[in-house]
């Protein structure tokens, strides 16, 4: 169902709160040097998109957009597309959001 017109029926479709992970770059706490943050994912089953949301207590936000592909009924392949960084205050009084494209796999292998 992922990536089809019936994608909203996909079991992954919707918002998911990050309760536990072994990924060090996705773990935040008030005691960390990076600061406290809420982490969650939003899966758009129809468009085959996953957006990782990191909302820092400081007001800064990260959005990581991924393309999802159903590899089997139980496995999903992920391809990172870009990262949007929104600092708590505009950079130089002008830039509210910076978009950083993620290189394709042919450049990172």
């Amino acid at each position: 169902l992922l990536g089809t017109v019936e994608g909203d029926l996909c079991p992954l479709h919707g918002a998911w709160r990050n309760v536990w992970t072994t990924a060090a770059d996705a773990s935040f706490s008030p005691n960390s040097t990076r600061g406290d943050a809420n982490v969650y994912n939003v899966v758009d089953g129809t468009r085959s998109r996953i957006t990782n949301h990191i909302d820092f207590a400081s007001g800064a936000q990260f959005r990581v957009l991924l393309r999802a592909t159903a590899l089997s009924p139980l496995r999903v392949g992920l391809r990172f597309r870009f990262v949007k960084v929104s600092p708590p205050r505009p950079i130089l009084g002008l830039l509210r959001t910076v978009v950083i494209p993620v290189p394709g796999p042919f450049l990172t292998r």
Side-chain angles (χ1 to χ4, degrees):
L1 298 174
L2 183 65
T4 69
V5 293
E6 298 172 328
D8 58 341
L9 301 175
C10 174
L12 294 175
H13 184 78
W16 295 82
R17 185 170 167 251
N18 190 3
V19 177
W20 184 85
T21 182
T22 58
D25 62 344
S27 301
F28 302 90
S29 75
N31 301 326
S32 78
T33 56
R34 295 177 294 168
D36 196 12
N38 290 319
V39 180
Y40 58 100
N41 304 18
V42 176
V43 178
D44 182 337
T46 305
R47 295 173 64 191
S48 294
R49 284 190 175 176
I50 299 175
T51 307
N52 295 340
H53 292 249
I54 304 171
D55 296 331
F56 290 92
S58 68
Q61 297 178 333
F62 281 24
R63 299 291 183 261
V64 182
L65 184 73
L66 301 96
R67 174 72 61 199
T69 306
L71 301 176
S72 77
L74 299 176
R75 293 187 62 86
V76 174
L78 302 175
R79 186 168 176 188
F80 288 82
R81 306 299 294 165
F82 59 84
V83 178
K84 284 175 133 179
V85 180
S86 300
R89 289 174 298 286
I91 299 170
L92 301 174
L94 301 172
L95 295 174
R96 295 194 167 283
T97 303
V98 176
V99 177
I100 305 165
V102 177
F106 60 94
L107 292 177
T108 58
R109 288 190 182 164

